[in-house]
Amino acid sequence: MFKSKIIVVKIGGSTLGQHDTTIEDLVTLQQKRVPVVVVHGGGNAVTDWLTRLNIPTRFVQGLRVTDSDTLRVVTAVLAGLINKELVSEIGKRGGKAVGISGVDGLVVTGKNKNRELGLTAEELTCNPRLLRVLLNNGYMPVIASICLNEELTGREEINLLNVNGDTIAAQIAASLKASKLIFLTDVPGIYDNSKQVISRIDTGTARTMIESGTAAGGMIAKLEASLIASQKVALTRIIDGRVDHALLDEIEGKGKGTTIVN
Ligand SMILES: Nc1ncnc2c1ncn2[C@@H]1O[C@H](COP(=O)(O)OP(=O)(O)OP(=O)(O)O)[C@@H](O)[C@H]1O
Ligand SMILES: [Mg+2]
């Protein structure tokens, strides 16, 4: 059935570049009538703009510490610049995409649990209604990783929260009961301690890899995301977005990388 065919693709900020074939692949998939939802980060571009604006930036366990000025820049860069660039690239290649963020249609609402991280959402609620409207009408939703702040305490000057792209992708995939969650990133898959790519792990091993420190930095968020998704999504894949047509190969069953199963 249509519902179970949905694929959620998280594009890592680090893999987006001039020679990236991901956009081409997304358009090809849309033409093949594969329902795809895209979620994007944009870590490097955000850091670049924060530097240009002289706003210091800091990460704790791969997650950006976000104050209200940082959040303004994150919103402008992710939901503005990067989101619109992606949508226009898809459009130029004949695809039909609609660029939104988690706030639009109230698709994603978040709670700021970890004050150490500032205005960052950890616990998310997802309502995929708008995504279904778009998919059912032949549009590919392209989602920037910002959400609405559920707690309006009056403390914040801005009612948004920054969300890690992996976390929001997993929550969206789970709410859509997607058939697959694919992370396109800048490594060939998950490395073990000898830097060999592991082809398949289960969620138990994913937990161990976080605890043991085998997975660090941005990989922690991906593994935690796979744990969130695993309740509703059969398969999470981590593949190398730098490889030409990695996404198309993946859909055609020729993908390399790491598979995470329940
Ligand atoms: N065990 C591991 N295996 C593979 N990569 C790992 C591991 N531990 C840590 N990493 C790091 O995780 C990084 C991938 O996560 P990162 O957050 O940097 O990229 P992304 O999520 O694709 O992009 P973005 O955060 O901009 O959306 C790799 O570049 C690597 O440095
Ligand atoms: Mg990341």
Side-chain angles (χ1 to χ4, degrees), residues 11 25 36 40 141 147 149-150 153 170-171 180 191 197 233 255:
I11 306 178
D25 289 359
V36 181
H40 64 87
C147 74
N149 188 354
E150 189 185 295
T153 60
Q171 204 69 46
K180 215 188 220 188
Y191 294 133
V197 173
V233 182

Side-chain angles (χ1 to χ4, degrees), residues 142-156:
V142 177
I143 308 167
S145 54
I146 307 289
C147 74
L148 182 76
N149 188 354
E150 189 185 295
E151 297 164 88
L152 301 179
T153 60
R155 183 175 56 85
E156 289 87 2

Side-chain angles (χ1 to χ4, degrees), residues 148-187:
L148 182 76
N149 188 354
E150 189 185 295
E151 297 164 88
L152 301 179
T153 60
R155 183 175 56 85
E156 289 87 2
E157 307 158 58
I158 179 165
N159 291 322
L160 307 171
L161 290 172
N162 186 19
V163 197
N164 181 275
D166 302 336
T167 315
I168 197 168
Q171 204 69 46
I172 286 169
S175 77
L176 286 167
K177 298 186 179 66
S179 62
K180 215 188 220 188
L181 168 62
I182 303 169
F183 290 112
L184 292 176
T185 188
D186 62 351
V187 279

Side-chain angles (χ1 to χ4, degrees), residues 243-260:
V243 173
D244 274 359
H245 299 295
L247 183 57
L248 216 50
D249 282 353
E250 171 63 26
I251 303 301
E252 288 169 359
K254 296 184 284 189
K256 299 192 176 99
T258 303
T259 302
I260 305 166

